[in-house]
Amino acid sequence: MATTHPSRPGDAALLAAGRILRAPFTAATWRRTAYAVLALPAGLVPVGRWQRALLRRLLGVQVPAGGRGRPLLHALAATPLNLVVAVVTLYGWSLVPMNLGWPLRVGDDYASAWGGPTFAGAWAFHAVVGGLGFLLLMPWLVRGMTAVQARLAGRVLGGGGNRIGGGPA
């Protein structure tokens, strides 16, 4: 049984490393990723119950209904943020397969590629830094961006920041 309070100094590092390595493969990561992408089209339609339902289903955040103009205000305020979050999320996650499958997209000039001049070196560099690096980075980046989105939605849709409940950690 794992404890949250490690008894030895090395245990804390192992727990942190395990959490980082598991993050890309959890359902919570993919729910947040779905929210990061779907918040843009859902936010463009000023229907508060759609926006609140998306927050509840994908992030586990309950936002009480605010006033009548709140969904329109949220659509106007959140659209720039939602656009940036969707672009960063889609691009960041696309870097994982793009770099793991680097040989499939490269021409015959791998000598000047990062990790070159050998084919194996270039592929290894792209796979480790671009593929595995972004695989481990993206869950945490998406988590931070969706937290900002949820906070904005709670303040605007809920009429003053009355956020009830919270998503999985």
Side-chain angles (χ1 to χ4, degrees):
M1 181 167 137
T3 62
T4 57
H5 302 289
S7 59
R8 295 181 303 233
D11 289 348
L14 286 175
L15 287 173
R19 189 172 179 200
I20 290 169
L21 293 174
R22 277 190 311 269
F25 308 105
T26 64
T29 293
W30 294 105
R31 282 192 305 270
R32 286 186 197 102
T33 300
Y35 181 82
V37 174
L38 295 175
L40 178 62
L44 292 174
V45 180
V47 178
R49 73 173 173 227
W50 290 1
Q51 297 162 347
R52 287 190 304 275
L54 197 64
L55 283 161
R56 184 181 61 251
R57 288 189 56 104
L58 296 177
L59 297 183
V61 175
Q62 296 286 337
V63 177
R68 286 176 37 97
R70 294 289 179 176
L72 180 59
L73 181 61
H74 178 259
L76 293 172
T79 297
L81 174 64
N82 291 345
L83 178 63
V84 169
V85 169
V87 168
V88 169
T89 300
L90 290 170
Y91 182 70
W93 279 115
S94 73
L95 289 174
V96 175
M98 188 168 57
N99 282 303
L100 289 174
W102 179 81
L104 300 174
R105 68 178 174 93
V106 71
D108 57 354
D109 187 28
Y110 52 83
S112 62
W114 288 4
T118 67
F119 178 78
W123 188 3
F125 181 85
H126 282 83
V128 170
V129 175
L132 297 178
F134 274 90
L135 180 69
L136 297 176
L137 172 70
M138 286 309 296
W140 303 101
L141 186 59
V142 169
R143 172 183 253 183
M145 292 186 301
T146 55
V148 172
Q149 286 177 305
R151 174 165 271 168
L152 176 65
R155 291 189 184 271
V156 176
L157 285 174
N162 296 336
R163 186 178 136 190
I164 302 169

